[in-house]
Amino acid sequence: MDSAQSLQEAPEVLVVPTMTDVPRDDDGAPRLEGTVDVMLIPLEAASGGTQLAALAFSTVAGLVDAMGEDQPWVAIPTEKLEEALQGSGAQAVLIDPQPPGDTGDTKNG
């Protein structure tokens, strides 16, 4: 899976958007009984063609900024992310992706 270098530099836990809401305990911790469908997006590969990439964020706030407050998510320890994505079809991980057209500049102009 691509992005191993960036995963080494990532925080200890990453927030991964999911396709459906994840059941949670009273304390907010996810109850992971079975599987969770993570969001994958197609990207143009450097060698041509496309590859599927999983999205991951350093913080919940980053996920909300990029995808909205209604986006369901689950927190996964970074060291377990590749294992958790096995069988998903993900060939890469994008950490802290920005929405199209977002330059990251918060100035109004």
Side-chain angles (χ1 to χ4, degrees), residues 3-4 16 25-26 40 43 47 49 53 62 64-65 72 74 80 88-89 92 99 103:
S3 68
V16 178
D25 290 331
D26 292 338
L40 302 178
L43 294 178
S47 60
V64 169
D65 285 346
V74 64
K80 296 186 183 247
S88 70
T103 63

Side-chain angles (χ1 to χ4, degrees), residues 6 15 38 47 49 56 60-61 104:
S6 59
V15 182
V38 297
S47 60
V60 173

Side-chain angles (χ1 to χ4, degrees), residues 7-108:
L7 284 178
Q8 292 173 357
E9 299 168 5
E12 290 183 28
V13 175
L14 289 169
V15 182
V16 178
T18 60
M19 297 302 291
T20 57
D21 208 4
V22 177
R24 299 185 185 272
D25 290 331
D26 292 338
D27 64 358
R31 287 181 292 168
L32 298 178
E33 299 150 355
T35 61
V36 174
D37 292 324
V38 297
M39 183 176 291
L40 302 178
I41 61 167
L43 294 178
E44 187 174 323
S47 60
T50 60
Q51 66 179 3
L52 292 175
L55 304 178
F57 294 86
S58 300
T59 64
V60 173
L63 178 137
V64 169
D65 285 346
M67 305 190 77
E69 62 185 42
D70 292 331
Q71 174 62 52
W73 56 271
V74 64
I76 300 175
T78 302
E79 65 185 28
K80 296 186 183 247
L81 184 61
E82 285 193 44
E83 179 184 340
L85 292 173
Q86 284 182 348
S88 70
Q91 299 163 299
V93 177
L94 287 180
I95 298 176
D96 294 325
Q98 297 296 312
D102 185 356
T103 63
D105 185 2
T106 57
K107 294 180 184 176
N108 292 328

